[in-house]
Amino acid sequence: MTLNILGAPRRRTMSLWIAAVVTAVIAAAAIAMSPTRAEAVATPVNLGTAADFGVLAGSTVTNTGPTTVERNVGVSPGTAVVGFPPGAVQPPGAIHAADAVALQAQNDLTTAYNQAAGEAADVTYTGDPVELGGQTLSPGVYKVPVRAQITGTLTLNGQGNSSAVWVFQVGSSLTTASASRVLFTNGANPCNVYWQIGSSATLGTNSTFVGNVLALTSITATTGTTVNGRLLARNGAVTLDSNTIFQGECSAVPTTPPATTPPATTPPATTPPATTPPATTPPATTPPATTPPATTPPATTPPGHHDKGEKSNGHGKYDEGKKSDEHGKYDEGKKSDEHGKYDEGKKDSRTDGPSWSW
């Protein structure tokens, strides 16, 4: 006995048709989400004098914290470079604000930007945004029509060729997540990586980024970002915050950025003050001249002879108060004439009154 169910073949046909449509949609989606690869060769972008800059802006450069920049920092046609110090430009780099050097660098940046944007794409992504994190990319030109982002790690594989080039063409903006990384393997060189950004780029906190950013508008490097490359903005601002920006050597480059020492943390070499004590001349120690007190002994009377207050003549005799003449005789109050005789109070005959004769 055969059971015939009306409409069964029609339902079976419908199911097969639906399955085919779903399969086709899934396949189309997979194709859309996968980048298309063409056979093109990325060529190095000529930065001209812009290569002499670690940071270049169109309107202003603003820094917060102990940022260090290798090579020049410049702005043109704007005039403001703010935050240096505490930021530091490593010698022989210098700051160029609206001068001829910065103007020429901006002109060369425009040329470089147009060259990067005009290279034929090897890979064209679809979708928005395009996540570059988690991928390992060989050299080439990668086109992102609208927005690109990096979460986690993007690895660039040089395939043993130190001259390999990567050019990323981003139609609108580039955003990297906090702690994201761009790493090199197999001889890749950071000097040969170029990010042409149609609007602005924002590099996440404590992220590690590699390559030369050529942005039409602005670039923001948030706190702690390390850039092995350059931040070059044509029309807008470059904003920095405690960053390290360096170029390294354009040869074999380690996949991990070299350890950097923030400026102003190493104390300057100090020369201790001279410790040689100043020459000291002891004060003169010559004792003051001392004159001994007069030591003339007092007059001494020979023992056994006492003058009882009597005066002594030159012969050691005492006159008991008598006057002595030149012969050592005493007149007992008598007056002496010119012959040494005494008149005992007698008057001279030559005077008035009785005369006396001997």
Side-chain angles (χ1 to χ4, degrees), residues 87-138:
V89 180
Q90 301 298 317
I95 294 176
H96 295 275
D99 61 9
V101 175
L103 175 60
Q104 183 60 52
Q106 276 289 359
N107 291 337
D108 291 344
L109 172 58
T110 299
T111 301
Y113 179 93
N114 291 333
Q115 176 191 338
E119 292 201 23
D122 291 308
V123 176
T124 300
Y125 292 94
T126 59
D128 178 42
V130 173
E131 176 61 72
L132 298 177
Q135 299 189 46
T136 297
L137 302 179
S138 57

Side-chain angles (χ1 to χ4, degrees), residues 242-256:
S242 305
N243 308 124
T244 300
I245 300 169
F246 68 103
Q247 290 75 48
E249 296 296 330
C250 289
S251 57
V253 177
T255 58
T256 302

Side-chain angles (χ1 to χ4, degrees), residues 134-172:
Q135 299 189 46
T136 297
L137 302 179
S138 57
V141 179
Y142 294 85
K143 186 177 184 65
V144 177
V146 187
R147 294 177 298 168
Q149 63 186 35
I150 301 174
T151 304
T153 301
L154 167 63
T155 302
L156 305 180
N157 184 351
Q159 300 177 337
N161 180 8
S162 61
S163 298
V165 176
W166 290 259
V167 175
F168 294 90
Q169 301 167 332
V170 180
S172 177

Side-chain angles (χ1 to χ4, degrees), residues 49-297:
T49 61
D52 296 331
F53 286 76
V55 172
L56 181 63
S59 61
T60 183
V61 175
T62 302
N63 172 66
T64 302
T67 292
T68 59
V69 179
E70 189 175 80
R71 308 196 186 212
N72 297 329
V73 171
V75 60
S76 180
T79 60
V81 176
V82 181
F84 290 84
V89 180
Q90 301 298 317
I95 294 176
H96 295 275
D99 61 9
V101 175
L103 175 60
Q104 183 60 52
Q106 276 289 359
N107 291 337
D108 291 344
L109 172 58
T110 299
T111 301
Y113 179 93
N114 291 333
Q115 176 191 338
E119 292 201 23
D122 291 308
V123 176
T124 300
Y125 292 94
T126 59
D128 178 42
V130 173
E131 176 61 72
L132 298 177
Q135 299 189 46
T136 297
L137 302 179
S138 57
V141 179
Y142 294 85
K143 186 177 184 65
V144 177
V146 187
R147 294 177 298 168
Q149 63 186 35
I150 301 174
T151 304
T153 301
L154 167 63
T155 302
L156 305 180
N157 184 351
Q159 300 177 337
N161 180 8
S162 61
S163 298
V165 176
W166 290 259
V167 175
F168 294 90
Q169 301 167 332
V170 180
S172 177
S173 63
L174 168 68
T175 303
T176 68
S178 297
S180 62
R181 301 185 302 166
V182 178
L183 298 183
F184 283 163
T185 60
N186 297 328
N189 191 320
C191 296
N192 293 334
V193 179
Y194 305 90
W195 299 82
Q196 178 261 317
I197 311 298
S199 178
S200 299
T202 301
L203 308 180
T205 302
N206 296 321
S207 61
T208 301
F209 190 80
V210 169
N212 303 286
V213 180
L214 287 61
L216 180 63
T217 307
S218 63
I219 303 170
T220 299
T222 58
T223 307
T225 297
T226 297
V227 178
N228 187 354
R230 299 172 178 84
L231 302 181
L232 310 174
R234 289 181 55 189
N235 300 318
V238 174
T239 303
L240 309 172
D241 184 356
S242 305
N243 308 124
T244 300
I245 300 169
F246 68 103
Q247 290 75 48
E249 296 296 330
C250 289
S251 57
V253 177
T255 58
T256 302
T260 57
T261 302
T265 60
T266 301
T270 56
T271 302
T275 57
T276 304
T280 56
T281 304
T285 57
T286 305
T290 57
T291 303
T295 57
T296 305

